[in-house]
Structure formats: C-alpha cells, structure tokens
Amino acid sequence: MEPAVTGASVTLRDVAAASGVSLSTASRALDERGTASRSAAAEHVRKVAEELGYRRNSFASSLRRGETRTLGVLVPRLSDTVMALMFEELERAASDRGYFAMVATSGDDPEDERRATETLLDRNVDGLILATARLDDELPRRLRQRGVPHVLVLRTDGVSPSAVGDDEVGGYLAVRHLIDLGHRDIAVVTGPSFTSSAVGRLAGARRALDEAGITPPEEWLLASGYGIENGFSAGESLLGKSTGKRPTAVFAANDNIALGIIAAAHRLGIEVGKDLALVGYNDTPLSARLATPLSSVRVPLAQIASTAIDLLVNPGKEPHIRKSMPTLIPRESSGPPRHKH
C-alpha cells in the first residue's frame, strides 16, 4: 500500500478511510487502554495504521478524556530500600497498564505529606498511591471526602482501598521460627507505632509468644523507627547490659533494624547466628549477601504493586483491603540457642 500521507500528518480519520471502516471502529481498534481486540477488522485497522505510519496522540487523547495516564506515588523516602523497590514495582505495574508513575517523598511528616500530595494533584495525576499512611493520618479521610482516587500500599488505615502484606502473619512466622529453634528469651524490635505495619508485626509476634507461654520483659518489646540507626540504638539497649539476662533471639520488624542490631552486636563482641539469633523483615537484596546471611520475612512486592494498580484503575472491586501472604526465608543468622532450656 502506498500511503497517501505519512508520519505525523496521518490522522485517525485517514486510517479509518484507508481501512474502509467508520471512525469509531478505527478508534476502538487503536485504543491502547484495554486488551486489544483480536477481531479480523481490528487487526486490519492496526495493520493499515502501521503501514501509514500513524502515531496515536496520547496527550490529546488524554485531554479529551480528562485523563493524563499518570499516577502519583508518595513514599516516606527513597533512601529506604523497601520503598525504592516498592516504587520500582509500582512503576512496572503501572507501565504494564499504560500509565506513567511519578514519585514524591514526605519523610513521614504529615505536613510534608500534605504538600507533596497537593503538588502531585496540581499535576493532574489520575490517582494517588500512598505508602505513607499513618494510623493517625487525616490524609486518606480527606482524599475520600474529595473523591480523589487513591490506594494505600504497605500500610493501611483500615478504610481506604489498600494493598498490603499480611503483617500479622509475618510477625507470627518470624517469632514462631525462633521458638521452634528452642529460644524462649526473645525480644521484638518493632517499627513506629503510628504505622499499621509495625502494629501488625508486633501483634503477630505477641500471638506466637502467647501460644508458647512466653512472656518477655516489657523492655524487650521495643518500638523503634525503621532506620539502621534505630536498630543500632535498640541493639545497644537490649544487648549492652553488663548484668542481668539478655535475649538469645531478636525479631526485628524490618531488615534495616536488623542491620543496626548486627552492628551493635559486633561492637559488643556478640556473634549473630551463634550468640544471638536474629530475624528481619522484607528480605531486601542485601539480606542474603551479608557475612552471616540474614533470616527474613519476604513480602511479595510485585504482587502488592499489581494489586494496588488494579484497585486504582478498577475501583469498586471487593475486597477494598487486600493482603498478600509473606514467606519466612531462614538463613544462618537464626540458629538454636547455645544452651537450650
């Protein structure tokens, strides 16, 4: 076929005329938003469009529909490995559905979160994905009131559409693993109490301890931040006592906390995997590559990302809060106690 017109000058009307179909039929055949039609007519239209050199003007098309095909993603910080990996998975899942994801950070500060949200909305994103939700956060409620499409990931307020890991199951698996190894002197270092992830992981840990009839001292149940420095401080507090009983095992509510505890243990001459059993959470790529590979609870980030995008672009589906199952990955950092009870 010799194209009558080429390149940027080719319009949808040209494609329809050359294909011998109506304008609406050509439009449906070339619409990239859904699953491509396999009908002979649609295949013919796409073949003609390719031969003519037709390029769909997605920007103009989006303006007509009042869409930008962009999604705003809000995370506390990209220096956090889990948040960086979560954004990459969200970006991939969005791209698979024809969307572009842009990211902003809030530093876990409610005022910065509000400003970042408004900045993303000023850019006319079609929806928001928040990995920042606090249990005391007003933002999801305000977004619901304003009718702004949004989904929470990794954390939930229990009301807005959410894609999360089952944190309670994960906490349970970690501590049950330590109990099954023979530990009874078990400490738990959890994340910030304003996050649903920390609350869920602590609840799961407590359930495993209760089942085994273990009641650790309250000072062995520490609320911490999610950073390495928080883990280091917690490790010094738990392990640095010159007198009194020390835990033989620690469940850290994320791998960063676990890394901090490893650093504190090393400084105190305590060998992780032998003197101290340690389990982290999230199974970040570094965990398996440490000198003593870290046992950790793996969270299916790709599945969570896909669920989040699905909840956003296909609203109204039940359930609104979807949990993905974590998996315990045992490694050398969690061995039995040197002196079993």
Side-chain angles (χ1 to χ4, degrees):
M1 175 187 294
E2 281 296 320
V5 285
T6 59
S9 61
V10 177
T11 66
L12 183 63
R13 195 173 296 278
D14 295 327
V15 174
S19 304
V21 300
S22 69
L23 193 61
S24 60
T25 298
S27 178
R28 283 195 300 275
L30 298 173
D31 192 339
E32 299 169 354
R33 289 174 294 167
T35 303
S37 170
R38 299 293 182 187
S39 72
E43 294 283 6
H44 174 63
V45 170
R46 285 193 287 272
K47 185 171 185 293
V48 169
E50 184 178 356
E51 289 172 347
L52 290 175
Y54 171 74
R55 292 293 179 270
R56 179 172 171 269
N57 187 335
S58 58
F59 180 71
S61 171
S62 294
L63 286 179
R64 286 193 297 273
R65 295 193 307 269
E67 297 176 355
T68 61
R69 308 296 290 175
T70 59
L71 303 174
V73 180
L74 192 58
V75 300
R77 57 192 63 80
L78 283 171
S79 57
D80 182 307
T81 303
V82 174
M83 291 300 170
L85 292 171
M86 186 76 256
F87 175 66
E88 287 181 4
E89 294 293 352
L90 286 166
E91 191 175 39
R92 189 175 294 116
S95 178
D96 288 346
R97 292 161 176 80
Y99 286 83
F100 174 76
M102 63 174 69
V103 67
T105 60
S106 72
D108 260 331
D109 179 270
E111 184 55 30
D112 287 346
E113 178 189 52
R114 186 193 64 77
R115 280 196 294 266
T117 297
E118 293 304 324
T119 298
L120 289 170
L121 292 176
D122 285 345
R123 281 155 176 73
N124 295 318
V125 295
D126 293 337
L128 293 172
I129 301 171
L130 310 177
T132 54
R134 303 164 59 109
L135 292 172
D136 58 356
D137 195 352
E138 286 292 301
L139 179 59
R141 182 183 62 79
R142 290 199 297 267
L143 292 175
R144 291 193 297 270
Q145 288 176 339
R146 292 166 63 180
V148 175
H150 67 284
V151 173
L152 312 184
V153 293
L154 296 180
R155 305 178 185 179
T156 180
D157 68 347
V159 182
S160 284
S162 308
V164 296
D166 194 320
D167 292 299
E168 185 171 345
V169 168
Y172 178 87
L173 290 174
V175 175
R176 185 73 248 178
H177 171 62
L178 294 170
I179 292 168
D180 289 344
L181 288 169
H183 292 278
R184 294 190 66 81
D185 296 323
I186 301 171
V188 178
V189 184
T190 189
S193 57
F194 58 75
T195 63
S196 63
S197 54
V199 170
R201 290 167 202 177
L202 177 59
R206 282 187 181 276
R207 179 159 63 89
L209 292 168
D210 289 345
E211 277 183 9
I214 298 171
T215 306
E218 276 303 311
E219 60 266 26
W220 287 8
L221 303 176
L222 296 178
S224 169
Y226 272 140
I228 294 174
E229 68 283 358
N230 303 117
F232 184 81
S233 298
E236 285 195 319
S237 174
L238 289 168
L239 307 174
K241 296 174 182 176
S242 56
T243 60
K245 185 187 284 188
R246 279 193 323 220
T248 63
V250 179
F251 164 48
N254 81 348
D255 287 352
N256 278 344
I257 295 173
L259 288 174
I261 292 172
I262 290 170
H266 179 73
R267 175 172 288 190
L268 294 166
I270 296 169
E271 191 172 353
V272 171
K274 293 184 179 178
D275 304 316
L276 178 75
L278 181 64
V279 178
Y281 205 104
N282 288 317
D283 194 33
T284 50
L286 180 62
S287 300
R289 294 167 177 81
L290 295 171
T292 301
L294 178 66
S295 298
S296 190
V297 176
R298 180 176 294 167
V299 180
L301 296 182
Q303 182 181 343
I304 289 172
S306 181
T307 299
I309 302 297
D310 187 46
L311 283 167
L312 196 57
V313 301
N314 297 303
K317 284 191 174 182
E318 295 288 349
H320 291 315
I321 299 174
R322 301 189 197 171
K323 295 181 179 181
S324 297
M325 282 297 117
T327 309
L328 175 74
I329 310 297
R331 299 191 180 99
E332 286 89 328
S333 72
S334 56
R338 284 197 156 174
H339 305 289
K340 288 195 176 184
H341 294 268

